[in-house]
Amino acid sequence: MNLIDFAKHLPADFTEQEFAALMNQVIDLKSIVDLSEQERSALFNGVQYLVDFLLLAQEVNGELRSHEGNFMMDYRGPFIPTILTRPEGHGIDRAALENFGVGEADKYFS
């Protein structure tokens, strides 16, 4: 499965488990951990390029939302607690590398 197939097959009302399972058909998520630093960097660059490309497509098609003048991006997939997304006071938790973020938001926001 490629990313376009992912977008077409993800149900509108998906669960975290469905999201992670379909994403795992696009790329073996566990294999990312074992990539070399250079390979992970290359993959990150590819994914960031894709995010920027998608953002521009949404902008061109008038699909962006704003709140009080700030643009907002919707994300409904599983929560991956990283240094950029983890609430203050919480340390690294490697569990998301095994469970793909399914149920992780409950640890931080329940």
PDB file of all heavy atoms in Angstrom, residues 2 17 22-23 27 42 50 63 74 79-80 91-92 104 106-107:
ATOM      1  N   ASN A   2       0.520   2.259  -0.752  1.00  0.00           N
ATOM      2  CA  ASN A   2       1.256   3.527  -0.723  1.00  0.00           C
ATOM      3  C   ASN A   2       0.413   4.559   0.028  1.00  0.00           C
ATOM      4  O   ASN A   2      -0.701   4.280   0.465  1.00  0.00           O
ATOM      5  CB  ASN A   2       1.641   3.987  -2.136  1.00  0.00           C
ATOM      6  CG  ASN A   2       0.448   4.281  -3.012  1.00  0.00           C
ATOM      7  OD1 ASN A   2      -0.554   4.836  -2.565  1.00  0.00           O
ATOM      8  ND2 ASN A   2       0.540   3.925  -4.284  1.00  0.00           N
ATOM      9  N   GLN A  17      -6.328   2.326  16.286  1.00  0.00           N
ATOM     10  CA  GLN A  17      -5.818   1.025  15.856  1.00  0.00           C
ATOM     11  C   GLN A  17      -5.907   0.885  14.342  1.00  0.00           C
ATOM     12  O   GLN A  17      -4.965   0.404  13.705  1.00  0.00           O
ATOM     13  CB  GLN A  17      -6.585  -0.103  16.550  1.00  0.00           C
ATOM     14  CG  GLN A  17      -6.004  -1.469  16.281  1.00  0.00           C
ATOM     15  CD  GLN A  17      -4.596  -1.630  16.828  1.00  0.00           C
ATOM     16  OE1 GLN A  17      -4.293  -1.192  17.935  1.00  0.00           O
ATOM     17  NE2 GLN A  17      -3.717  -2.231  16.057  1.00  0.00           N
ATOM     18  N   LEU A  22      -3.201   0.566   9.173  1.00  0.00           N
ATOM     19  CA  LEU A  22      -3.058   0.970   7.765  1.00  0.00           C
ATOM     20  C   LEU A  22      -1.702   1.615   7.505  1.00  0.00           C
ATOM     21  O   LEU A  22      -1.071   1.340   6.483  1.00  0.00           O
ATOM     22  CB  LEU A  22      -4.177   1.938   7.369  1.00  0.00           C
ATOM     23  CG  LEU A  22      -5.480   1.328   6.903  1.00  0.00           C
ATOM     24  CD1 LEU A  22      -6.515   2.416   6.629  1.00  0.00           C
ATOM     25  CD2 LEU A  22      -5.288   0.472   5.674  1.00  0.00           C
ATOM     26  N   MET A  23      -1.240   2.451   8.431  1.00  0.00           N
ATOM     27  CA  MET A  23       0.068   3.082   8.256  1.00  0.00           C
ATOM     28  C   MET A  23       1.169   2.027   8.226  1.00  0.00           C
ATOM     29  O   MET A  23       2.139   2.141   7.473  1.00  0.00           O
ATOM     30  CB  MET A  23       0.320   4.099   9.364  1.00  0.00           C
ATOM     31  CG  MET A  23       1.599   4.888   9.186  1.00  0.00           C
ATOM     32  SD  MET A  23       1.769   5.747   7.606  1.00  0.00           S
ATOM     33  CE  MET A  23       0.585   7.051   7.804  1.00  0.00           C
ATOM     34  N   ILE A  27       4.388   1.516   5.615  1.00  0.00           N
ATOM     35  CA  ILE A  27       5.787   1.401   6.023  1.00  0.00           C
ATOM     36  C   ILE A  27       5.847   0.577   7.303  1.00  0.00           C
ATOM     37  O   ILE A  27       5.002   0.740   8.187  1.00  0.00           O
ATOM     38  CB  ILE A  27       6.430   2.793   6.230  1.00  0.00           C
ATOM     39  CG1 ILE A  27       7.912   2.663   6.539  1.00  0.00           C
ATOM     40  CG2 ILE A  27       5.699   3.599   7.276  1.00  0.00           C
ATOM     41  CD1 ILE A  27       8.664   3.989   6.505  1.00  0.00           C
ATOM     42  N   ALA A  42      17.160  10.969   6.347  1.00  0.00           N
ATOM     43  CA  ALA A  42      16.643  11.004   4.976  1.00  0.00           C
ATOM     44  C   ALA A  42      15.137  10.764   4.956  1.00  0.00           C
ATOM     45  O   ALA A  42      14.400  11.445   4.232  1.00  0.00           O
ATOM     46  CB  ALA A  42      17.366   9.960   4.112  1.00  0.00           C
ATOM     47  N   LEU A  50       6.833  16.040   2.264  1.00  0.00           N
ATOM     48  CA  LEU A  50       5.447  15.657   2.005  1.00  0.00           C
ATOM     49  C   LEU A  50       4.480  16.515   2.822  1.00  0.00           C
ATOM     50  O   LEU A  50       3.456  16.971   2.305  1.00  0.00           O
ATOM     51  CB  LEU A  50       5.252  14.175   2.321  1.00  0.00           C
ATOM     52  CG  LEU A  50       3.876  13.586   2.057  1.00  0.00           C
ATOM     53  CD1 LEU A  50       3.477  13.752   0.597  1.00  0.00           C
ATOM     54  CD2 LEU A  50       3.857  12.116   2.448  1.00  0.00           C
ATOM     55  N   GLU A  63      -8.502  24.981   2.103  1.00  0.00           N
ATOM     56  CA  GLU A  63      -8.908  24.017   3.126  1.00  0.00           C
ATOM     57  C   GLU A  63      -8.333  24.313   4.512  1.00  0.00           C
ATOM     58  O   GLU A  63      -8.597  23.566   5.452  1.00  0.00           O
ATOM     59  CB  GLU A  63      -8.472  22.609   2.696  1.00  0.00           C
ATOM     60  CG  GLU A  63      -9.099  22.172   1.405  1.00  0.00           C
ATOM     61  CD  GLU A  63      -8.446  20.953   0.796  1.00  0.00           C
ATOM     62  OE1 GLU A  63      -7.403  20.487   1.298  1.00  0.00           O
ATOM     63  OE2 GLU A  63      -8.981  20.457  -0.205  1.00  0.00           O
ATOM     64  N   ASP A  74      -5.503  20.087  11.560  1.00  0.00           N
ATOM     65  CA  ASP A  74      -6.173  18.989  12.255  1.00  0.00           C
ATOM     66  C   ASP A  74      -5.301  17.741  12.176  1.00  0.00           C
ATOM     67  O   ASP A  74      -4.718  17.445  11.139  1.00  0.00           O
ATOM     68  CB  ASP A  74      -7.524  18.691  11.614  1.00  0.00           C
ATOM     69  CG  ASP A  74      -8.544  19.779  11.875  1.00  0.00           C
ATOM     70  OD1 ASP A  74      -8.469  20.404  12.953  1.00  0.00           O
ATOM     71  OD2 ASP A  74      -9.399  20.005  11.018  1.00  0.00           O
ATOM     72  N   PHE A  79      -1.499   9.634  19.203  1.00  0.00           N
ATOM     73  CA  PHE A  79      -0.572  10.596  19.782  1.00  0.00           C
ATOM     74  C   PHE A  79       0.790   9.935  19.974  1.00  0.00           C
ATOM     75  O   PHE A  79       0.895   8.880  20.601  1.00  0.00           O
ATOM     76  CB  PHE A  79      -1.108  11.083  21.132  1.00  0.00           C
ATOM     77  CG  PHE A  79      -0.188  12.027  21.845  1.00  0.00           C
ATOM     78  CD1 PHE A  79       0.024  13.305  21.358  1.00  0.00           C
ATOM     79  CD2 PHE A  79       0.453  11.640  23.009  1.00  0.00           C
ATOM     80  CE1 PHE A  79       0.872  14.193  22.011  1.00  0.00           C
ATOM     81  CE2 PHE A  79       1.296  12.514  23.680  1.00  0.00           C
ATOM     82  CZ  PHE A  79       1.511  13.791  23.180  1.00  0.00           C
ATOM     83  N   ILE A  80       1.824  10.558  19.437  1.00  0.00           N
ATOM     84  CA  ILE A  80       3.200  10.112  19.632  1.00  0.00           C
ATOM     85  C   ILE A  80       3.881  11.148  20.530  1.00  0.00           C
ATOM     86  O   ILE A  80       4.119  12.278  20.100  1.00  0.00           O
ATOM     87  CB  ILE A  80       3.955   9.978  18.287  1.00  0.00           C
ATOM     88  CG1 ILE A  80       3.226   9.044  17.325  1.00  0.00           C
ATOM     89  CG2 ILE A  80       5.393   9.527  18.536  1.00  0.00           C
ATOM     90  CD1 ILE A  80       3.166   7.595  17.758  1.00  0.00           C
ATOM     91  N   GLY A  91       8.945  12.508  31.006  1.00  0.00           N
ATOM     92  CA  GLY A  91      10.158  12.053  30.341  1.00  0.00           C
ATOM     93  C   GLY A  91       9.856  11.211  29.116  1.00  0.00           C
ATOM     94  O   GLY A  91       8.699  10.988  28.757  1.00  0.00           O
ATOM     95  N   ILE A  92      10.912  10.738  28.510  1.00  0.00           N
ATOM     96  CA  ILE A  92      10.793   9.884  27.327  1.00  0.00           C
ATOM     97  C   ILE A  92      10.071   8.596  27.698  1.00  0.00           C
ATOM     98  O   ILE A  92      10.367   7.983  28.724  1.00  0.00           O
ATOM     99  CB  ILE A  92      12.184   9.543  26.755  1.00  0.00           C
ATOM    100  CG1 ILE A  92      12.875  10.800  26.262  1.00  0.00           C
ATOM    101  CG2 ILE A  92      12.076   8.512  25.639  1.00  0.00           C
ATOM    102  CD1 ILE A  92      14.324  10.578  25.855  1.00  0.00           C
ATOM    103  N   GLU A 104      -1.819   6.174  23.715  1.00  0.00           N
ATOM    104  CA  GLU A 104      -0.832   7.022  24.391  1.00  0.00           C
ATOM    105  C   GLU A 104      -1.441   8.322  24.912  1.00  0.00           C
ATOM    106  O   GLU A 104      -1.052   8.798  25.971  1.00  0.00           O
ATOM    107  CB  GLU A 104       0.335   7.347  23.457  1.00  0.00           C
ATOM    108  CG  GLU A 104       1.281   6.196  23.226  1.00  0.00           C
ATOM    109  CD  GLU A 104       2.041   5.795  24.479  1.00  0.00           C
ATOM    110  OE1 GLU A 104       2.667   6.655  25.128  1.00  0.00           O
ATOM    111  OE2 GLU A 104       1.998   4.599  24.816  1.00  0.00           O
ATOM    112  N   ASP A 106      -4.159   8.873  26.290  1.00  0.00           N
ATOM    113  CA  ASP A 106      -4.814   8.656  27.578  1.00  0.00           C
ATOM    114  C   ASP A 106      -3.842   8.805  28.741  1.00  0.00           C
ATOM    115  O   ASP A 106      -4.224   9.230  29.827  1.00  0.00           O
ATOM    116  CB  ASP A 106      -5.448   7.257  27.622  1.00  0.00           C
ATOM    117  CG  ASP A 106      -6.570   7.093  26.625  1.00  0.00           C
ATOM    118  OD1 ASP A 106      -7.125   8.135  26.177  1.00  0.00           O
ATOM    119  OD2 ASP A 106      -6.890   5.947  26.264  1.00  0.00           O
ATOM    120  N   LYS A 107      -2.556   8.481  28.539  1.00  0.00           N
ATOM    121  CA  LYS A 107      -1.547   8.607  29.592  1.00  0.00           C
ATOM    122  C   LYS A 107      -1.304  10.066  29.971  1.00  0.00           C
ATOM    123  O   LYS A 107      -0.955  10.365  31.098  1.00  0.00           O
ATOM    124  CB  LYS A 107      -0.212   8.031  29.127  1.00  0.00           C
ATOM    125  CG  LYS A 107      -0.171   6.552  28.931  1.00  0.00           C
ATOM    126  CD  LYS A 107       1.241   6.178  28.495  1.00  0.00           C
ATOM    127  CE  LYS A 107       1.371   4.739  28.134  1.00  0.00           C
ATOM    128  NZ  LYS A 107       2.750   4.424  27.699  1.00  0.00           N
TER     129      LYS A 107
END
